[in-house]
Amino acid sequence: MRVPLSWLREYVDLPPTETGRDVQAKLVAVGLEVETVEQIGAGLKGPLVVGKVLTIEELEGFKKPIRFCTVDVGSANGTGEPQEIVCGARNFAVGDKVVVVLPGAVLPGDFAIAARKTYGKTSHGMICSTDELGMGDDGTHGIIVLPPEHEVGTDAIELLQLVDEVLDIAVTPDRGYCLSMRGVARETAIAYGLPLRDPALLDVPAPNAYGYPVEVTDPAGCSRFTARTVVGLQPETRSPIWLQRRLQKAGMRPISLAVDVTNYVMLELGQPLHAYDRTRIDGPIGVRRAEQGEKLTTLDGIVRVLDAADLVITDNRGPIGLAGVMGGANTEIADAAEGTHTTEVVIEAAHFDAISIARTARRHKLASEGSKRFERGVDPQAAAAAAQRTVDLLVLLAGGTAEAGVTEVTAPSGPRTITMPADHPDRVAGVAYGRETVVRRLQEVGCDVYGQDELLVTAPSWRPDLNEPNDLAEEVIRLEGYENLPSTLPTPPSGRGLTDRQRLHRRVGRALAGAGYVEALNYPFTGEAVLDQLGLDADDARRRTVRLVNPLSEEEPSLRTTLLPGLLGALRRNDGRGSHDLALFETGLVFRPTGQETKPVRLPVDRRPSDEEIAGLDAALPRQPRHAAVVLAGAREQAGWWGKGRPADWADSVEAARTIAAEAGVALVVRADQHAPWHPGRCAALYVTVDGAETLFGHAGELHPRVTKELHLPERTCAMEVDLDVLEQAVDGALQAPRISTFPVATQDVALVVGQDVPAADVEQALRAGAGELLESLRLFDVFTGEQIGGGRKSLAYALRFRAADRTLTVDEATAARDAAVALAAERTGAVLRGA
């Protein structure tokens, strides 16, 4: 919400010396988020005056049309002679009143004006457009043409209100009343302790039987509908400058007088309005739910297919507007600039259900100023006043006549009352405010308060967010000042800290960061398209997703079942921005429905749910394991004076899995596998031992070339994803620190020849089992294939390190352990000692 300070002063008598920064500080203190204070017209310096175009000479021989004009600026130029100005715009004629900036002036952006020779003429100043004066968009993109009643030589800075301060307020969803000058003025008056001139306090005629007929068939969706009629509008009348400028400062574009007035009243009172051309309405106005598949062309020219849940405004022909969101093109106010005229209007001021409007706006991807206000809560009691204010302005500015008929359709409703102990804010804040302070603050926000120790509070109609004692306590606390709350550090109970699970997750993150990976946090949403791009089979469990009822994006309507889409998207974005050497990781939940979930029950809010109710809610949730994943592309080691670098490859992704397993003290078994989205020849299945059985832990390797092409990733991109919940199950007790032996190591190398199809992991596992407790480590350092060992075979060379904790091993002991390892490998895998 953009709030011009000059407009705000109409409702609150602020001290003359108060600046926008001062008001910002006061509003922030009472809980409003004032993001910026814009200085409009900063650096602007005159002379800037009203001028009258006397002559126009068309200059020829140039690439674009150029005009040499003489303009009467009165005595503003010091001579009284016409001012000669060269101008390229064509939306003005002889006799028009325009805005002229004279030499010596400075326009916004530190643009100094001086006489200069151009197009063969000397231009003494400039005829101004709205853009050059920093006024915002007026829809013309041309020279400002003023109404003829303004005198030549009048100061245009004051006339056009070019100098002002505008507060830009980020209105939170619970403070919808601050999407209006009335609401912000109320908060300002409270902050300064000054009286408020409420613009909604108007004399409003009582409803009668002569108004425009309205039929509301859905009172739950529309609890109030006020209709007023104004006839005899002068179609050529333009919005006055003061009204246009207030709209522009508030961020809206002037369109036509009738539309501008409705927008102005909406900004002033917070009540969205709509004006219909009465001659284009067929029969009574109705409010109902749409029929499935009905169509409506909205004011933006788009034909929209309506949903049965949409609330619509109708006449005898069908829908003429999306209630609370946008009107229909078939009853639009005519634009005089296009040669059509509207002389009779029906004004709609209604109150629509907030949830219904919010869902319709999102369903049609059609956010409007009206829907933004309705979905945050509009004062239902302000509709009649807003309609009256609109009527008054149309009569005053457009020469119209208000018809005597007043239509008001209302659904039965009562005030919202809340019972609260008088000391409840004291107990919430830990501050002794006292009853008098509590009552005074609640009355300042508009509540009626009765009672002594037990207060009966009636919430004001413009505050739908006040529904329980804690809401009222929050109002007292914020107005008394959050900064006045005492700061007390809580004392944590002794003997508690992170759980083993939390410690493991943190160690995994630190280990990956230490290995050179950068953490990337991604949205937990996915869509069918990216699962197709990953090449997942139709029966893949990762395709079974949980779909959101109200997704942020229709392209990603489901909760993720794998971390890879988000990480690969982050890698693609960074690669596209010039960062080609990438190593990213993420840890987070994935959502794996089993199909066995039950329908959730609505839990009570007046008491703690029972254990059975909580268990029923848990049963309705999908399985949510925590995964860790990495993605790599580009160089893993950079080249430099120290030597050549090397690109990331599948082995790096496997090593990342080993790093994670090592943090848990768990041995990792790596086997070849085929699993989407990895390359079938460069994919590893990762296993850990859980309760004595090998359990799949995850996969790692190089992505399939088709996947990298579909996702526009760098070639040879690698990835790894593992299930940390499985890793946690594999942990056998507390993590044991390694024992450091003071005795020397004995190293033995062996080269074993095995079949080409024998996995190195099986050979390694057999060697470890056969070597026994003396084996400290084992490393594969060479793989050889060639004619020397025969076709279909390969040689695997391992370095075995033996060490005892209590003695120096003899050569015979080390050799015996090596021979036992080789013997078991031969038995399990058919390995033959090379050269034997």
Side-chain angles (χ1 to χ4, degrees):
M1 176 70 186
R2 291 173 55 84
V3 179
L5 187 59
S6 59
W7 194 357
L8 185 62
R9 289 181 183 274
E10 281 199 5
Y11 312 116
V12 183
D13 289 326
L14 295 173
T17 57
E18 286 294 282
T19 66
R21 295 291 182 190
D22 298 329
V23 177
Q24 177 188 30
K26 288 284 190 179
L27 292 179
V28 168
V30 296
L32 288 186
E33 297 180 25
V34 184
E35 294 186 328
T36 60
V37 178
E38 181 182 346
Q39 306 290 331
I40 293 180
L44 178 63
K45 175 185 172 185
L48 187 71
V49 299
V50 175
K52 180 178 181 180
V53 180
L54 300 178
T55 65
I56 297 177
E57 177 188 350
E58 302 287 346
L59 301 182
E60 299 179 352
F62 302 102
K63 292 183 179 180
K64 62 178 182 178
I66 300 297
R67 311 168 99 185
F68 180 64
C69 311
T70 59
V71 184
D72 179 10
V73 294
S75 59
N77 57 5
T79 65
E81 296 296 323
Q83 201 79 0
E84 297 179 341
I85 299 175
V86 175
C87 183
R90 308 190 65 79
N91 68 312
F92 64 96
V94 172
D96 282 345
K97 299 288 182 67
V98 294
V99 178
V100 180
V101 59
L102 301 177
V106 180
L107 295 184
D110 200 26
F111 180 34
I113 302 298
R116 65 189 183 95
K117 192 166 185 177
T118 180
Y119 297 103
K121 301 284 186 178
T122 300
S123 182
H124 299 273
M126 187 168 68
I127 302 175
C128 297
S129 68
T130 56
D131 291 336
E132 291 158 344
L133 297 180
M135 294 172 59
D137 184 15
D138 67 348
T140 65
H141 301 290
I143 293 302
I144 302 170
V145 179
L146 299 171
E149 62 266 19
H150 296 293
E151 293 292 331
V152 168
T154 302
D155 182 6
I157 294 178
E158 182 178 350
L159 175 67
L160 298 178
Q161 305 172 23
L162 296 179
V163 178
D164 202 350
E165 294 181 274
V166 177
L167 286 71
D168 193 351
I169 302 175
V171 179
T172 53
D174 63 326
R175 306 290 286 277
Y177 66 97
C178 284
L179 287 172
S180 68
M181 294 300 303
R182 180 194 185 201
V184 175
R186 186 181 302 279
E187 293 294 316
T188 306
I190 294 173
Y192 279 90
L194 296 171
L196 168 71
R197 287 188 292 274
D198 191 344
L201 296 180
L202 302 174
D203 291 330
V204 178
N208 54 51
Y210 312 114
Y212 198 91
V214 174
E215 300 172 358
V216 177
T217 59
D218 190 339
C222 177
S223 60
R224 183 180 296 267
F225 195 107
T226 300
R228 299 290 298 276
T229 304
V230 180
V231 298
L233 301 180
Q234 298 173 7
E236 299 296 338
T237 305
R238 296 169 53 189
S239 299
I241 291 174
W242 64 265
L243 194 152
Q244 293 188 46
R245 290 298 293 135
R246 287 188 172 179
L247 291 177
Q248 289 171 334
K249 292 176 186 178
M252 302 188 76
R253 180 172 65 88
I255 298 173
S256 65
L257 179 56
V259 175
D260 292 349
V261 165
T262 58
N263 286 336
Y264 177 84
V265 175
M266 177 186 69
L267 292 172
E268 184 178 49
L269 301 181
Q271 169 66 55
L273 301 114
H274 190 71
Y276 301 92
D277 187 330
R278 187 167 78 165
T279 62
R280 304 175 72 178
I281 303 176
D282 182 7
I285 292 175
V287 183
R288 61 168 171 83
R289 297 289 171 176
E291 297 177 6
Q292 188 68 36
E294 266 188 310
K295 294 183 179 181
L296 168 68
T297 303
T298 46
L299 289 173
D300 54 5
I302 297 176
V303 178
R304 302 186 184 276
V305 179
L306 304 180
D307 187 90
D310 293 332
L311 195 66
V312 293
I313 311 298
T314 64
D315 65 5
N316 289 338
R317 297 166 297 179
I320 59 174
L322 265 179
V325 180
M326 184 174 286
N330 54 351
T331 56
E332 181 181 7
I333 297 295
D335 189 350
E338 298 177 359
T340 56
H341 306 289
T342 292
T343 59
E344 301 178 6
V345 297
V346 176
I347 300 158
E348 165 206 304
H351 184 264
F352 300 113
D353 176 62
I355 295 176
S356 176
I357 299 305
R359 288 175 175 171
T360 294
R362 283 158 179 75
R363 188 179 299 116
H364 294 281
K365 298 181 176 63
L366 185 60
S368 65
E369 290 292 332
S371 68
K372 181 168 68 175
R373 285 164 172 80
F374 277 122
E375 63 189 39
R376 285 167 171 78
V378 169
D379 182 2
Q381 303 297 327
Q388 182 62 43
R389 177 69 165 143
T390 305
V391 168
D392 293 342
L393 287 173
L394 289 176
V395 170
L396 175 67
L397 302 177
T401 301
E403 290 193 346
V406 177
T407 301
E408 189 163 303
V409 180
T410 59
S413 63
R416 285 174 293 113
T417 59
I418 307 164
T419 301
M420 179 186 75
D423 64 346
H424 182 68
D426 301 18
R427 289 186 284 111
V428 170
V431 176
Y433 293 123
R435 179 188 177 281
E436 290 185 2
T437 298
V438 171
V439 171
R440 175 171 56 85
R441 288 304 192 184
L442 292 178
Q443 289 174 338
E444 285 177 346
V445 300
C447 296
D448 291 330
V449 185
Y450 303 95
Q452 293 299 318
D453 295 339
E454 194 80 8
L455 301 181
L456 183 63
V457 182
T458 301
S461 57
W462 58 85
R463 294 298 303 271
D465 58 307
L466 301 182
N467 295 296
E468 59 178 40
N470 284 337
D471 298 331
L472 301 178
E474 181 184 0
E475 293 300 300
V476 174
I477 295 168
R478 76 174 179 89
L479 294 181
E480 283 295 303
Y482 290 120
E483 69 279 6
N484 296 323
L485 293 177
S487 297
T488 305
L489 287 176
T491 303
S494 60
R496 295 189 182 183
L498 298 177
T499 65
D500 292 340
R501 175 186 177 88
Q502 292 170 326
R503 290 193 183 95
L504 174 61
H505 294 164
R506 293 195 180 188
R507 288 204 310 273
V508 166
R510 285 196 294 266
L512 290 175
Y517 292 86
V518 177
E519 186 171 18
L521 301 177
N522 300 291
Y523 284 119
F525 308 122
T526 191
E528 283 292 326
V530 72
L531 299 180
D532 293 337
Q533 292 170 328
L534 290 176
L536 304 187
D537 293 334
D539 58 349
D540 194 301
R542 289 169 291 179
R543 281 192 177 274
R544 190 183 301 124
T545 60
V546 177
R547 187 176 179 87
L548 301 173
V549 174
N550 189 21
L552 291 178
S553 168
E554 289 298 333
E555 295 178 356
E556 295 181 330
S558 304
L559 293 174
R560 66 188 177 190
T561 56
T562 168
L563 298 181
L564 291 183
L567 272 179
L568 293 174
L571 185 142
R572 179 177 62 246
R573 284 191 297 275
N574 283 275
D575 180 71
R577 287 163 173 76
S579 298
H580 303 302
D581 304 324
L582 296 161
L584 308 178
F585 85 92
E586 181 178 12
T587 62
L589 299 179
V590 298
F591 305 86
R592 295 290 185 86
T594 62
Q596 305 299 317
E597 292 83 9
T598 60
K599 185 176 181 180
V601 297
R602 186 179 294 274
L603 296 181
V605 296
D606 58 340
R607 60 175 174 81
R608 183 190 183 280
S610 66
D611 293 342
E612 291 77 14
E613 289 171 328
I614 295 175
L617 187 64
D618 288 340
L621 297 176
R623 194 168 63 87
Q624 301 177 46
R626 182 172 292 273
H627 280 202
V630 305
V631 293
L632 305 99
R636 185 63 178 137
E637 295 178 3
Q638 297 290 335
W641 57 265
W642 51 84
K644 295 182 179 180
R646 69 172 183 86
D649 61 18
W650 64 269
D652 293 302
S653 62
V654 174
E655 186 59 30
R658 293 189 190 279
T659 300
I660 292 174
E663 284 301 311
V666 174
L668 184 69
V669 178
V670 182
R671 302 186 187 282
D673 196 8
Q674 294 187 18
H675 187 70
W678 284 274
H679 190 299
R682 296 170 187 154
C683 173
L686 312 172
Y687 293 89
V688 293
T689 301
V690 178
D691 297 331
E694 281 191 359
T695 303
L696 184 65
F697 171 47
H699 288 86
E702 181 182 315
L703 294 181
H704 197 292
R706 187 163 52 245
V707 173
T708 58
K709 182 178 180 180
E710 286 284 338
L711 292 174
H712 307 288
L713 300 171
E715 293 182 358
R716 312 299 290 269
T717 296
C718 300
M720 177 275 296
E721 184 168 14
V722 294
D723 188 334
L724 295 182
D725 286 3
V726 172
L727 181 66
E728 184 184 5
Q729 297 169 20
V731 175
D732 185 15
L735 183 63
Q736 299 294 320
R739 296 181 61 183
I740 308 298
S741 174
T742 60
F743 295 96
V745 68
T747 303
Q748 297 270 357
D749 293 345
V750 295
L752 302 176
V753 179
V754 296
Q756 189 72 40
D757 59 343
V758 176
D762 289 352
V763 177
E764 179 179 329
Q765 190 175 22
L767 289 173
R768 286 185 184 277
E773 294 182 354
L774 295 179
L775 181 67
E776 182 179 79
S777 67
L778 180 151
R779 178 174 61 89
L780 174 66
F781 66 86
D782 185 55
V783 178
F784 174 77
T785 57
E787 296 179 357
Q788 297 91 326
I789 58 175
R793 301 178 70 76
K794 61 184 176 183
S795 172
L796 305 176
Y798 292 91
L800 287 75
R801 292 167 57 91
F802 298 99
R803 196 191 317 250
D806 57 350
R807 68 188 186 280
T808 300
L809 292 178
T810 64
V811 173
D812 291 340
E813 287 178 311
T815 302
R818 182 203 65 180
D819 292 344
V822 171
L824 188 59
E827 178 184 337
R828 291 185 179 181
T829 66
V832 177
L833 194 63
R834 186 175 175 183

